[in-house]
Amino acid sequence: QTWKLVLRGGNLSTGCASMDMDPKSPDTLFAAMWDHRRKGWTFRSGGESAAAPSASGLYRSTDGGESWQALESPYDGSFFGLLPLSDGGLLALGLRGHVFRSDDRGKSWTSVASGTEATLTTGRELGAGKVAVAGMAGVLLLSKLGWLDTSIIFVNPTYLYSGIVGGLIMGVGFVVGGY
């Protein structure tokens, strides 16, 4: 009864993929909005066609979510996570292994080589300057802040086979759907 819409995507197929709170400022929230649509046997991420722009985006609120400001996007693709770091940095995680770091809370971005083409969806600080970044099929990458090291890869065996089968099904959907 008391809900109100405070963050809306750029089109009807864009929704919030993730939201996280700044560890030093609980009123500062970050959200990753993802433009996607599941249609029958296909799935698309981004605009309605290969040439259409994506309405995916990154957002920040400094008043506990009452209002939101769009952040400059480091690339024209889909993001699934924004991870505020205790050192003041911010990581944006996305499709095809895209990782970007901002040291000014989202005003400018630097690309970080992830060494993977996996979709990266979420992350958490582990302490001692380390970050865990999770992606599709349970891939876990450990790193120093701002750098991902693919020499340390953990695939949870519980989800390995379902992740492979799901990835194959999703891959066929991308091929059939023309992506």
Side-chain angles (χ1 to χ4, degrees):
Q1 292 182 16
T2 61
W3 290 93
K4 72 176 182 176
L5 182 62
V6 293
L7 179 59
R8 180 188 305 266
N11 60 27
L12 293 177
S13 61
T14 300
C16 189
S18 72
M19 187 178 298
D20 215 330
M21 182 186 316
D22 185 322
K24 292 185 175 182
S25 175
D27 283 338
T28 301
L29 305 172
F30 294 94
M33 301 292 281
W34 180 29
D35 180 1
H36 69 289
R37 174 80 62 190
R38 194 172 293 280
K39 298 178 178 180
W41 292 99
T42 188
F43 176 88
R44 71 145 178 90
S45 179
E48 278 297 327
S49 70
S54 173
S56 297
L58 306 172
Y59 294 82
R60 175 183 55 228
S61 171
T62 56
D63 58 11
E66 287 293 319
S67 63
W68 292 85
Q69 301 82 40
L71 301 176
E72 188 68 33
S73 182
Y75 89 116
D76 290 332
S78 299
F79 287 100
F80 304 103
L82 272 174
L83 176 61
L85 304 171
S86 59
D87 71 352
L90 182 64
L91 292 181
L93 312 170
L95 196 62
R96 295 181 201 92
H98 286 289
V99 178
F100 294 88
R101 181 181 170 105
S102 174
D103 288 312
D104 54 14
R105 291 314 212 200
K107 293 177 186 167
S108 63
W109 299 91
T110 302
S111 179
V112 176
S114 70
T116 183
E117 290 291 314
T119 295
L120 302 174
T121 56
T122 189
R124 288 292 172 256
E125 277 191 279
L126 302 176
K130 297 211 179 255
V131 174
V133 175
M136 296 292 196
V139 175
L140 184 68
L141 305 171
L142 296 176
S143 72
K144 288 285 184 191
L145 290 178
W147 296 102
L148 300 177
D149 180 2
T150 56
S151 67
I152 305 171
I153 296 179
F154 169 75
V155 178
N156 186 335
T158 304
Y159 303 109
L160 180 61
Y161 295 107
S162 62
I164 290 171
V165 171
L168 289 172
I169 292 169
M170 194 173 201
V172 168
F174 277 128
V175 171
V176 171
Y179 296 97

